[in-house]
Amino acid sequence: MKINFLDLKESNPPPSANNGGNDILTEYLIGRMFDIHMESSRTLWDRKMFDEELKREGSGFLICYADSGFADSDNSRISLKKFTEKDIEPALKIGLQSLIVGFFIYYNVLDEMHILDITVSKEMQSKGIGSLMLNMVIKKNSEAGIKHFFLEVRTSNIAAINLYKKFGFKIFMLRKNYYDDNGEDALCMVKES
Ligand SMILES: CC(C)(COP(=O)(O)OP(=O)(O)OC[C@H]1O[C@@H](n2cnc3c(N)ncnc32)[C@H](O)[C@@H]1OP(=O)(O)O)[C@@H](O)C(=O)NCCC(=O)NCCS
């Protein structure tokens, strides 16, 4: 199985454009991102927030998807696999048959990036996909002049904290009672490029 990435804001024509973009595909992509978000994330956005964020100037949407061959694959075999750079297939065209396995949403202002959400579908976690997405976004945006990468994460979210630490993020502040649902604290983390 190959995995692929699509920058939703930079694809040409932009699937999100009202004037001739592929609205059906965008609708499918956002819908699938929302499903993954509901299944895997504890900080819940509603569906409208995805649409609004997509329209916002300065936002970025990276989508990770598997080719349609995934549907016929033997899941037990896939579960043994850890993805690396060599598994990336840049040429594949995304279509309604593609399986979305993760996404990364961020927002850039001046020389700062604010990471808003990075989520991998449950069955595809711990296979290197989060790392590939983070690596791709940080590299591209560093080259484009982003110097500071910020994020907030629940103090209980060990997998995410480990991922960010692996990429050189450092804790710089604790926000007490940051999350509405359970009053959990947030770690504020930053990486300087
Ligand atoms: C956090 C998340 C995006 C990580 O993506 P992933 O594809 O599973 O991560 P990777 O396989 O690339 O792993 C990267 C590192 O993260 C850490 N990690 C991943 N899964 C972990 C787990 N279950 N327990 C502890 N650390 C874990 C490890 O340090 C790992 O590095 P290693 O493989 O060298 O040990 C994913 O777990 C997820 O979608 N979680 C739910 C949504 C979420 O909480 N997002 C973050 C919001 S701030």
Side-chain angles (χ1 to χ4, degrees):
M1 175 174 55
K2 293 283 182 194
I3 57 166
N4 311 266
F5 294 94
L6 172 82
D7 187 323
L8 197 51
K9 297 282 291 253
E10 288 183 4
S11 53
N12 194 13
S16 57
N18 292 325
N19 52 355
N22 187 344
D23 285 337
I24 295 173
L25 181 55
T26 304
E27 191 60 27
Y28 162 75
L29 294 174
I30 299 287
R32 178 62 189 146
M33 285 164 75
F34 184 63
D35 291 344
I36 293 174
H37 173 79
M38 292 302 285
E39 157 201 301
S40 302
S41 197
R42 287 185 50 207
T43 302
L44 298 182
W45 288 17
D46 62 29
R47 174 71 168 73
K48 223 171 109 201
M49 288 167 81
F50 280 81
D51 294 327
E52 283 166 5
E53 206 52 57
L54 184 64
K55 285 189 205 132
R56 177 152 76 143
E57 197 178 333
S59 72
F61 275 62
L62 183 76
I63 293 179
C64 177
Y65 61 104
D67 55 47
S68 52
F70 174 80
D72 303 317
S73 300
D74 171 1
N75 269 325
S76 59
R77 199 156 41 81
I78 287 167
S79 69
L80 296 174
K81 184 162 172 55
K82 185 123 187 170
F83 295 102
T84 62
E85 298 274 347
K86 70 177 167 33
D87 297 302
I88 297 174
E89 170 61 74
L92 211 104
K93 270 204 182 136
I94 195 162
L96 294 174
Q97 300 310 313
S98 305
L99 186 79
I100 312 303
V101 295
F103 64 88
F104 189 142
I105 303 176
Y106 59 91
Y107 170 64
N108 287 347
V109 57
L110 303 172
D111 62 355
E112 295 176 5
M113 172 180 291
H114 296 265
I115 295 176
L116 302 181
D117 196 359
I118 172 169
T119 300
V120 175
S121 66
K122 271 218 158 84
E123 73 275 15
M124 298 295 274
Q125 287 178 7
S126 299
K127 299 184 197 308
I129 290 175
S131 299
L132 285 173
M133 289 197 292
L134 199 51
N135 188 41
M136 194 168 278
V137 169
I138 288 176
K139 186 164 180 280
K140 180 176 161 201
N141 284 273
S142 298
E143 285 165 10
I146 297 294
K147 300 219 166 3
H148 318 282
F149 297 83
F150 292 100
L151 60 86
E152 280 110 23
V153 57
R154 287 176 192 265
T155 48
S156 65
N157 195 345
I158 302 302
I161 294 167
N162 285 348
L163 168 71
Y164 301 137
K165 283 187 173 166
K166 188 176 157 186
F167 277 82
F169 281 82
K170 303 260 186 288
I171 298 164
F172 68 94
M173 192 169 70
L174 181 75
R175 278 194 211 279
K176 297 292 281 177
N177 307 315
Y178 183 72
Y179 294 98
D180 289 339
D181 59 341
N182 64 351
E184 190 170 350
D185 301 340
L187 295 177
C188 302
M189 301 182 82
V190 65
K191 174 186 166 68
E192 312 288 346
S193 74

